[in-house]
Amino acid sequence: MNRQWWHNKIAYQIYPKSFYDSNGDGIGDLPGIIEKLDYLSYLGVDILWLSPIYQSPLADQGYDISDYYKIDPRFGTMEDMDRLITEAKKRNMYILMDLVVNHCSDEHLWFQKAIQDPEGEYGNFFYLADEGEKKPCNWRSYFGGSVWSPLPGTGKQYLHMFHKKQPDLNWENPRVREEIYKNINWWMEKGLAGFRIDAIINIKKPLPFSDYPADREDGLCSPEVMLANASGIGEFLGEMRDETFAKYQAFTVGEVFNEKPEDLEKFIGENGYFSTMFDFHEAVIGHSPKGAYDNRPVTPEEYKNACFTAQAKIGDTGFYSNLIENHDEPRGVSHYLPGPPCEAAKKMLAGLYFMLRGIPFIYQGQEIGMENTEVSSIEQIDDISARGEYETALKAGLSPEEALAAVSLMSRDNARTPMQWEDSPGAGFTKGTPWLSVNPNYHRIHAADQMEREDSLFQFYRKLIGLRKDSDYGETLVYGSFAPYLKEQKNLMAYFRKGPEKTLLVMGNFQKEPQEAVLPGVAARIVLNNLPHTEIKENKIMLEGWQYVILEVK
Ligand code: GLC
Ligand code: CA
């Protein structure tokens, strides 16, 4: 494998609206990110991915772009963006923007022109159909309801895989692709390191549109069925790589769900369409086809098996990007750890996913152990996806209380509450009123405490990051192979990372009770431990509840 500049890097996702508000309007902004660059540099992360900051009506919090060449004034100015890129470079950090090109906003000029003249040039930028008796297909949008909505005042309808304010762009039209590549190159010229590529697997539709068997009482079918039936996406993705990213050695990470094993080489192998893509095997555990209200909690065994399946699938074909949370998922520590998460358990989860083969991503606030938030009414929920799921739950017969309880476990607001900087009003995120309520636990969980306290989760993340860059262990942790260990032992997650010179054994006791595990050989050194002590007797290790260790073994 040819070595790339990003192989040993650590990425950090910023959700700008909730990161740091520099001017007291309650909305996080670019100057706020610049102010916190030293914090991020102290943490040790290298690549910063910014969720969208382009001009947008924020119907889906910026994943609905109305001008790809402008910064939304709520986030700052283009000068702020240029300054962020420059200031990041000074600290050897790289900036990724979010590339949202499966769809744009219904307020984008292209869509406005399509409404004015559906038969004209811009009509063909979207998927339009005559508004007949029947919709062209029975696909359900990701946020609930049909993917088809009327194109106002035209007698036509248009397709949206997500919200109706997010019309899908017609990638079959070469003019659309040309506009997209032009925009990507324009941003790359500004000095970006690359992009996180949103919802990209949806750009290829199986055409002509047709119905698939309905899977709920609404008569619609899951959008995943359309993904499974689409073929030929590689032509678009290969063209995009050649026209844009390849020219800049860009780092790109694709948001890809449901990838087929045979696609991995093409997607993220040598000269793949992307540098890497997220491993979502863990994120989808327990998801019900009926809707989020019917999701099940994740067990430690399921979490382990999902990680191991993904690692086996990728082998050394390329690198997955590993994560426990992002702006679309619940907080990892609330989702994957059974019961109220203690700090030792948070460290264990951090250490387990971080040392998997791949590129570790940290989502803002994860490094201080931020948790899911509580809501007492649906009005407090901003997330349009959770609102759609709430409706689905009510239709399925749940009471409003039950629906709210179920939906609050997966609401994307959990990850979007403001970053908890300190124990002061507004959690140090804003001096004004935050756009989304802060999690009331900020008195207990905040960055100021964690940075100061030697045994904090934050300091533990710094150690994890340090190991990947360590001259003794970095090579093994970045390039070493992966192999499961004692896979059948319940609530123990253990694996080897083997390099040409060193072998590391990563172990986590995924329960509050202690458990014993047999070691494969002599432990030469304890490289990392989340607790003050370790008990090793001959060939056995006695792990306390939630204990996590990395051992160098001979
Ligand atoms: C991706 C984003 C999500 C957004 C959706 C539509 O899944 O991560 O936040 O709602 O795409 O753009
Ligand atoms: Ca602001």
Side-chain angles (χ1 to χ4, degrees):
M1 171 184 299
N2 284 327
R3 300 214 161 181
Q4 304 293 343
W5 66 266
W6 46 268
H7 282 164
N8 66 347
K9 300 290 183 268
I10 318 291
Y12 185 96
Q13 181 188 357
I14 296 178
Y15 195 70
K17 199 173 182 188
S18 300
F19 192 57
Y20 185 59
D21 172 22
S22 71
N23 61 356
D25 65 357
I27 296 179
D29 45 51
L30 292 171
I33 298 175
I34 297 171
E35 274 187 55
K36 295 294 183 185
L37 282 177
D38 287 333
Y39 165 86
L40 296 169
S41 154
Y42 175 63
L43 175 60
V45 296
D46 317 273
I47 297 178
L48 306 179
W49 151 31
L50 272 53
S51 276
I53 46 166
Y54 310 88
Q55 181 180 297
S56 162
L58 304 189
D60 186 21
Q61 294 305 353
Y63 286 92
D64 48 321
I65 298 170
S66 56
D67 191 332
Y68 288 96
Y69 292 91
K70 291 210 175 102
I71 301 288
D72 193 283
R74 283 164 285 196
F75 296 127
T77 62
M78 193 59 82
E79 288 68 49
D80 294 331
M81 187 63 203
D82 291 333
R83 196 154 59 87
L84 174 62
I85 295 172
T86 313
E87 288 298 319
K89 277 197 182 134
K90 282 188 196 158
R91 295 164 177 83
N92 296 319
M93 287 163 133
Y94 306 82
I95 302 289
L96 303 187
M97 282 179 83
D98 215 308
L99 185 66
V100 189
V101 289
N102 171 67
H103 45 267
C104 60
S105 162
D106 65 341
E107 297 181 30
H108 194 289
L109 200 60
W110 296 336
F111 195 71
Q112 293 302 315
K113 287 188 176 164
I115 295 176
Q116 279 156 22
D117 179 12
E119 305 298 340
E121 186 187 359
Y122 290 95
N124 196 28
F125 267 48
F126 301 92
Y127 293 100
L128 303 186
D130 287 331
E131 215 175 356
E133 296 267 283
K134 198 184 157 299
K135 301 197 150 83
C137 62
N138 70 337
W139 310 346
R140 185 184 305 110
S141 83
Y142 287 98
F143 296 157
S146 167
V147 295
W148 294 96
S149 288
L151 190 69
T154 60
K156 299 215 177 262
Q157 49 187 332
Y158 69 95
L159 175 118
H160 53 89
M161 294 305 299
F162 293 87
H163 193 258
K164 64 175 186 303
K165 285 189 68 63
Q166 297 167 296
D168 278 48
L169 287 162
N170 176 10
W171 272 71
E172 305 291 338
N173 178 354
R175 278 278 296 121
V176 168
R177 305 202 298 275
E178 192 186 308
E179 286 291 343
I180 291 171
Y181 305 154
K182 193 175 98 190
N183 180 256
I184 295 174
N185 290 328
W186 187 84
W187 279 106
M188 288 305 302
E189 290 294 329
K190 275 187 166 293
L192 287 187
F195 290 93
R196 174 266 186 181
I197 308 178
D198 184 72
I200 194 66
I201 204 69
N202 294 284
I203 62 174
K204 185 75 191 184
K205 277 78 175 166
L207 298 174
F209 293 114
S210 63
D211 286 358
Y212 300 111
D215 50 29
R216 290 186 198 166
E217 275 168 14
D218 59 8
L220 304 176
C221 74
S222 156
E224 286 168 20
V225 180
M226 98 81 182
L227 294 183
N229 281 281
S231 61
I233 193 172
E235 281 165 42
F236 294 157
L237 297 179
E239 181 184 85
M240 173 160 66
R241 172 201 56 211
D242 297 340
E243 296 292 324
T244 63
F245 313 134
K247 302 184 202 169
Y248 300 92
Q249 282 189 291
F251 172 74
T252 55
V253 46
E255 187 196 26
V256 178
F257 280 92
N258 299 352
E259 70 274 15
K260 302 162 188 138
E262 64 272 20
D263 287 342
L264 279 172
E265 173 74 39
K266 283 184 244 151
F267 276 62
I268 58 171
E270 202 90 57
N271 193 34
Y273 307 136
F274 312 122
S275 312
T276 167
M277 62 200 228
F278 294 112
D279 166 25
F280 288 124
H281 288 79
E282 302 75 27
V284 300
I285 303 171
H287 281 194
S288 165
K290 293 186 195 163
Y293 72 87
D294 192 48
N295 288 357
R296 298 182 285 104
V298 185
T299 67
E301 285 300 286
E302 286 174 311
Y303 179 75
K304 165 172 77 181
N305 290 331
C307 292
F308 289 4
T309 301
Q311 293 280 308
K313 201 163 148 188
I314 188 73
D316 59 5
T317 303
F319 291 99
Y320 269 129
S321 283
N322 299 318
L323 70 158
I324 57 170
E325 65 196 48
N326 64 24
H327 67 294
D328 293 330
E329 300 294 331
R331 288 290 180 175
V333 295
S334 301
H335 187 61
Y336 295 118
L337 294 170
C342 63
E343 206 164 65
K346 290 178 179 181
K347 289 177 186 164
M348 177 207 68
L349 182 63
L352 285 176
Y353 99 94
F354 213 87
M355 295 305 167
L356 295 171
R357 193 171 174 286
I359 314 298
F361 272 64
I362 299 174
Y363 176 71
Q364 72 181 41
Q366 179 188 323
E367 74 278 22
I368 58 168
M370 281 179 64
E371 299 172 3
N372 279 357
T373 194
E374 275 170 31
V375 283
S376 50
S377 84
I378 187 70
E379 279 70 47
Q380 289 172 1
I381 294 188
D382 167 81
D383 172 20
I384 47 173
S385 166
R387 284 171 169 255
E389 293 286 0
Y390 180 77
E391 293 306 318
T392 306
L394 292 182
K395 282 194 195 117
L398 275 73
S399 71
E401 294 73 32
E402 289 165 341
L404 185 68
V407 158
S408 68
L409 292 177
M410 56 65 64
S411 163
R412 301 189 298 177
D413 287 358
N414 284 313
R416 300 176 181 186
T417 61
M419 175 73 184
Q420 295 165 204
W421 293 105
E422 57 188 41
D423 182 10
S424 67
F429 158 72
T430 181
K431 296 210 159 50
T433 309
W435 72 275
L436 184 68
S437 297
V438 295
N439 190 323
N441 69 13
Y442 73 87
H443 302 293
R444 183 166 53 86
I445 300 175
H446 59 86
D449 160 63
Q450 298 249 339
M451 286 172 78
E452 216 163 84
R453 194 157 48 79
E454 219 19 70
D455 65 349
S456 69
L457 179 67
F458 178 90
Q459 294 298 347
F460 193 74
Y461 268 103
R462 290 190 66 225
K463 289 181 191 152
L464 294 171
I465 293 169
L467 280 176
R468 270 183 67 96
K469 302 192 171 169
D470 185 273
S471 53
D472 278 341
Y473 298 113
E475 177 72 21
T476 310
L477 290 170
V478 173
Y479 293 104
S481 65
F482 170 93
Y485 180 60
L486 299 180
K487 194 173 163 203
E488 305 306 324
Q489 189 165 330
K490 197 169 167 224
N491 293 353
L492 176 80
M493 178 161 161
Y495 55 85
F496 293 109
R497 297 298 312 278
K498 291 185 191 165
E501 273 153 31
K502 290 200 156 60
T503 299
L504 295 171
L505 175 60
V506 177
M507 300 183 111
N509 180 17
F510 221 126
Q511 58 180 20
K512 62 177 187 303
E513 298 77 23
Q515 78 171 304
E516 207 175 71
V518 173
L519 294 174
V522 185
R525 223 191 121 190
I526 298 164
V527 178
L528 188 66
N529 187 356
N530 70 340
L531 298 181
H533 309 287
T534 318
E535 204 186 315
I536 297 180
K537 276 204 195 111
E538 288 160 23
N539 67 338
K540 283 195 182 130
I541 183 165
M542 190 67 200
L543 295 164
E544 289 178 37
W546 310 121
Q547 188 162 17
Y548 170 87
V549 290
I550 304 180
L551 306 175
E552 185 179 341
V553 290
K554 286 259 181 297

